[in-house]
Amino acid sequence: MLVSAEEMLTKAKAGKYAVGQFNINNLEWTKAILLTAQELNSPVILGVSEGAGKYMCGYKTVVGMVNGMLEELNITVPVALHLDHGSYEGAKACIEAGFSSIMFDGSHYPIEENVQKTKELVAVCREKGMSIEAEVGSIGGEEDGVVGAGECADPDECKMIADLGVTMLAAGIGNIHGKYPDNWAGLSFETLDAVQQKTGSMPLVLHGGTGIPADMIQKAISLGVSKINVNTECQLSFQEATRKYIEAGKDQEGKGFDPRKLLAPGTEAIKATVKEKMELFGSVGKA
């Protein structure tokens, strides 16, 4: 049974560890993440971008697939199904489809509009027992070959959003989606500390968890980060393992590749990546 992320993140904040959010893109990725979480007795958040949701035939299909896996695989650890960087319309669609958690990314709006839209969604999520994540200060990333530095959030604006009653808050602290450039300046712990001072016990979220050095991860957790998102690292490990399998020529003559065998190495690579991250985040045994 899917659960809100609120309880797992409240425990993580108090226990000084972080719950991993791992984005899913298909059945194999979902299965790998769930089995690893169960093996390590770790709570987990399955992230779904709007693009991935469309690729997997729609949000209702995603909900049905995940719920079916929870039952068929006998998953007993807490699992939240979470919309990642959702639009206002996407958030409402995921609420209707049966997600247990959503992120509304209003960081690109003026703060007044971000507050208004977030407030509306908080009321709906509270009524349905769902968790909700909001964002202040956009997360950097690569677009058309241009890498933007992550924006640092205004701590006062973070407090404005936190006071609306969101479950968790993503505050930009110089973090970036995708691979980090060689000249990346690192996380702004000064900003993170200021945000925590303003938001108190609210769990904070670190996007762009791929490529951040372990010591920075640990320091971020000590300053209130209770949820860390990982996507690119799973993509890269899946890609590399699948490439090696294809280059080894393990096809069936006259039939091509058996898709179940073709995807197996990548699936095992994702398991290894998720395990490594859960151990780094300190969530092993915390279910």
Side-chain angles (χ1 to χ4, degrees), residues 27-103:
L27 181 148
E28 286 77 15
W29 286 39
T30 309
K31 181 180 178 182
I33 295 164
L34 289 176
L35 287 176
T36 306
Q38 185 69 25
E39 176 189 342
L40 299 181
N41 194 33
S42 172
V44 71
I45 298 170
L46 303 178
V48 181
S49 68
E50 293 196 8
K54 291 176 183 177
Y55 173 76
M56 292 185 280
C57 298
Y59 300 128
K60 289 183 180 179
T61 299
V62 175
V63 171
M65 176 183 71
V66 173
N67 278 329
M69 284 193 188
L70 295 180
E71 180 180 349
E72 298 282 3
L73 297 174
N74 297 313
I75 303 299
T76 58
V77 298
V79 177
L81 181 59
H82 182 74
L83 173 65
D84 189 28
H85 286 285
S87 64
Y88 181 72
E89 295 75 17
K92 290 193 290 186
C94 286
I95 291 170
E96 291 301 315
F99 276 53
S100 64
S101 186
I102 60 163
M103 176 187 184

Side-chain angles (χ1 to χ4, degrees), residues 181-250:
D182 293 337
N183 62 348
W184 179 54
L187 299 178
S188 172
F189 293 112
E190 181 181 356
T191 301
L192 179 56
D193 185 45
V195 170
Q196 178 174 237
Q197 296 301 322
K198 293 282 187 179
T199 58
S201 61
M202 172 160 294
L204 301 178
V205 181
L206 180 63
H207 285 247
T210 297
I212 298 177
D215 59 339
M216 287 191 183
I217 291 286
Q218 296 293 346
K219 187 169 182 178
I221 292 172
S222 75
L223 292 173
V225 166
S226 310
K227 171 177 174 277
I228 301 177
N229 294 10
V230 178
N231 181 31
T232 302
E233 198 157 347
C234 289
Q235 291 178 323
L236 292 173
S237 63
F238 184 87
Q239 171 190 326
E240 181 64 12
T242 304
R243 181 188 64 79
K244 288 181 178 178
Y245 182 88
I246 293 173
E247 289 181 351
K250 296 181 179 179

